[in-house]
């Protein structure tokens, strides 16, 4: 019950992605020529759309992933703001530029995100105008980027905490079965509790099977009359 209450309290952090969505929606309203905006992250080299103001952003992200280059990827990889008009987009990322123009997008502004040590990303604006963004727009987006980074970091910390709590709950539920398995090994081999537990751990590693499953399998074995069962190697 205590674990459930703790997990429920962490679920209150679920409004953080909604905060990011509001930031994305508001930046489109504030930057005059911004037609769409989104937050993307790069995981294992793959670009993923976290939040977007409209479905066009998904198409633009996908186009960059297919091309292996584009303003979002450059900002995420370099850690620098990328601002490109139509001419520069064509020069720097011709494959992406061709696809983007098919969707009516001519210029872009991408600010890097540093979410954690493993995950980078970018906060992106797109415009249908040839010169959609200027230095003032860069400053505005950098302010929004700080808020986005903070929200995403908190959301990820909450998700990790919920996962750890769930894992702890599974471990606690498995404890009685593991204790019984330790007792069986102690009786079968004349070992101490620590030695018997180490036997189960080695078997888990050897078979690449979770310790709780090794224990459950051992406990479920029928016990021959007058002789306790022996665990596997």
């Amino acid at each position: 019950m205590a674990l459930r209450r703790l997990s429920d309290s962490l679920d209150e952090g679920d409004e953080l992605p909604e905060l990011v969505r509001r930031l994305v929606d508001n930046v489109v309203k504030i930057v005059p020529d911004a037609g769409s905006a989104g937050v993307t992250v790069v995981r294992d080299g793959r670009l993923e759309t976290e939040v977007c103001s409209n479905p066009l952003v998904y198409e633009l992200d996908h186009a960059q992933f297919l091309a292996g280059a584009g303003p979002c990827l450059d900002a995420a990889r370099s850690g620098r703001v990328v601002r490109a008009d139509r001419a520069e987009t064509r020069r720097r990322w011709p494959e992406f530029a061709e696809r983007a123009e098919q969707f009516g997008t001519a210029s872009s502004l991408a600010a890097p995100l540093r979410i954690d040590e493993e995950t980078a990303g970018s906060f992106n604006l797109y415009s249908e105008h040839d010169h959609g963004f200027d230095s003032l727009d860069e400053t505005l987006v950098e302010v929004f980027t700080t808020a986005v980074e903070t929200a995403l970091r908190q959301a990820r910390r909450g998700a990790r905490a919920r996962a750890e709590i769930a894992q702890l709950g599974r471990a606690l539920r498995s404890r009685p079965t593991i204790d019984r398995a330790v007792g069986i090994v102690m009786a079968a081999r004349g070992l101490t509790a620590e030695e018997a537990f180490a036997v189960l751990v080695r078997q888990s590693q050897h078979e690449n099977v979770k310790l709780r499953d090794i224990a459950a399998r051992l406990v479920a074995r029928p016990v021959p009359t007058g002789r306790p069962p022996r665990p596997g190697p």
Side-chain angles (χ1 to χ4, degrees), residues 60-107:
L60 295 171
D61 280 359
H62 185 62
Q64 291 177 74
F65 174 62
L66 290 178
C72 298
L73 285 171
D74 275 20
R77 290 166 176 167
S78 69
R80 295 191 297 271
V81 174
V82 174
R83 175 160 55 100
D85 58 18
R86 183 189 295 271
E88 186 172 1
T89 301
R90 288 173 173 174
R91 178 180 61 82
R92 294 177 64 177
W93 316 290
E95 187 176 346
F96 165 69
E98 180 180 357
R99 186 66 172 153
E101 290 182 22
Q102 291 176 0
F103 291 114
T105 297
S107 56

Side-chain angles (χ1 to χ4, degrees), residues 31-32 83 109 131-140:
V31 178
R83 175 160 55 100
L109 175 59
H131 303 276
F133 306 106
D134 57 24
S135 57
L136 177 58
D137 297 328
E138 276 192 37
T139 302
L140 286 171

Side-chain angles (χ1 to χ4, degrees), residues 16 19-20 23 113 123 141-154:
L16 287 170
L19 170 60
V20 177
L23 289 168
L113 296 172
F123 187 23
V141 170
E142 286 176 343
V143 172
F144 274 86
T145 296
T146 300
V148 170
E149 286 179 334
T150 300
L152 289 177
R153 285 171 185 159
Q154 291 181 23

Side-chain angles (χ1 to χ4, degrees), residues 9 17 19-20 24 26-27 40 48 72 79 83-84 110 114 119 121 128 137 148 151 164 166 197-198 200 203 225 228:
S9 69
L19 170 60
V20 177
V24 166
N26 283 327
V27 77
T40 57
E48 298 179 6
C72 298
R83 175 160 55 100
R114 285 293 176 264
T119 309
E128 63 183 5
D137 297 328
V148 170
E164 289 170 0
F197 182 75
L200 294 175
Q203 184 174 351
T225 304

Side-chain angles (χ1 to χ4, degrees), residues 174-188 196-197 200 211-212 214-220 229 231:
S174 302
R175 182 60 186 268
T177 302
I178 293 173
D179 286 345
R180 288 180 60 192
V182 167
I184 291 172
V185 176
M186 289 172 64
F197 182 75
L200 294 175
L211 179 62
R212 64 174 180 266
I214 292 289
R217 192 172 67 194
L218 180 59
V219 168

